[in-house]
Amino acid sequence: MANNQRVALVTGASRGIGAEVAKRLAKDGFAVAINYSSNQQAAEAVQKEIEASNGVAAIFQANVASSAEVDRMFTDIKAKFGGIDVLINNAGVMALEPLAAVTDEVIDKHIDINLKGSLYALRAAAQHLNDGGRVVNLSTTVVGLKLENYSVYAATKGAIEVATGILAKEMRGRNITVNAVAPGSNGDGFVFRR
C-alpha cells in the first residue's frame, strides 16, 4: 500500500451494493476494508477480485449490531492501514411485509442492524476518520415514496437520514462530509441527500 493511499471502509461489503462499491473504490485507487458479518467466503471473493486487478483490500469481520465489534473493527483497520478516510455505511437487512404482520424479531433485527449498527459505525467514524474524510450512508427512496410493506425498513433508514444531516453539521470543523445516498427500490436510480 502506498503511503498516501486513502482508505475506505465499506460495511456489508461481501455482496450486493456493498461489494460493488468496494470494487469501484479499489478501482479508483482506495485501499478497501471489506466488512462482513458471517460470510467470510463471500468477503474473500471480493478481496480476491480486487487484488486480481492490482487493488489493495483486506477483510474485517464484525457484526455492526455490536458496538464492541464495530469499535474493534475500526481499531483493526487503523492498525492495518494506518488510518481511515472514508466510511460507506451500507450493512443492512430488509424484510417486507405489512406492519400488522411484522414480528418483534423482525423489528429488533432491523433496529439492531440498520439503525443501531449504522449509528455505531457513524460514532466510530466521528472518532476515527481522518480530517477531510467522507461518510456516505445508504438509505432508500422508499423513505420518500412510503411504499406498502416497507414500514420497518423505511423507518430505520429515515432515522439514519436525520442522523446524516446532524453529523454533517458536527463534522464541519474537521472538513468531513456526511451524506446519504438513496438507491431506488427497484434498482433504477438513486437520490442524493446532504
Side-chain angles (χ1 to χ4, degrees):
M1 184 177 119
N3 287 341
N4 61 347
Q5 188 171 29
R6 296 188 63 166
V7 177
L9 162 60
V10 183
T11 66
S14 63
R15 58 191 172 92
I17 290 173
E20 294 306 313
V21 169
K23 290 184 269 189
R24 177 56 192 256
L25 285 166
K27 184 178 178 182
D28 289 345
F30 286 83
V32 181
I34 300 164
N35 161 251
Y36 72 98
S37 177
S38 58
N39 193 338
Q40 182 175 341
Q41 186 175 9
E44 288 174 344
V46 175
Q47 178 185 15
K48 288 175 185 171
E49 186 172 340
I50 288 170
E51 291 174 344
S53 299
N54 297 315
V56 176
I59 62 171
F60 296 87
Q61 190 284 327
N63 178 353
V64 297
S66 164
S67 63
E69 290 188 30
V70 170
D71 291 342
R72 175 188 45 78
M73 174 176 63
F74 272 78
T75 299
D76 291 349
I77 294 167
K78 286 177 72 174
K80 168 87 176 163
F81 290 123
I84 305 171
D85 300 287
V86 175
L87 166 65
I88 308 296
N89 216 0
N90 168 73
V93 296
M94 180 176 67
L96 304 180
E97 53 191 329
L99 188 54
V102 173
T103 65
D104 290 354
E105 290 77 18
V106 167
I107 292 172
D108 289 345
K109 187 171 185 178
H110 279 73
I111 289 172
D112 286 348
I113 297 172
N114 296 2
L115 181 55
K116 289 167 62 175
S118 292
L119 290 172
Y120 294 152
L122 289 173
R123 180 177 62 191
Q127 296 167 353
H128 296 287
L129 237 59
N130 293 331
D131 289 354
R134 304 287 180 259
V135 175
V136 178
N137 293 315
L138 270 288
S139 182
T140 174
T141 56
V142 177
V143 170
L145 295 172
K146 298 172 181 63
L147 299 176
E148 294 90 346
N149 302 321
Y150 283 85
S151 57
V152 178
Y153 175 74
T156 61
K157 294 299 187 174
I160 292 307
E161 286 198 16
V162 172
T164 297
I166 293 169
L167 186 60
K169 292 177 180 179
E170 294 174 356
M171 293 292 96
R172 278 190 296 224
R174 294 181 48 207
N175 197 29
I176 294 174
T177 62
V178 185
N179 294 286
V181 174
S185 60
N186 62 0
D188 63 351
F190 65 89
V191 176
F192 180 77
R193 294 188 175 96
R194 292 184 77 85

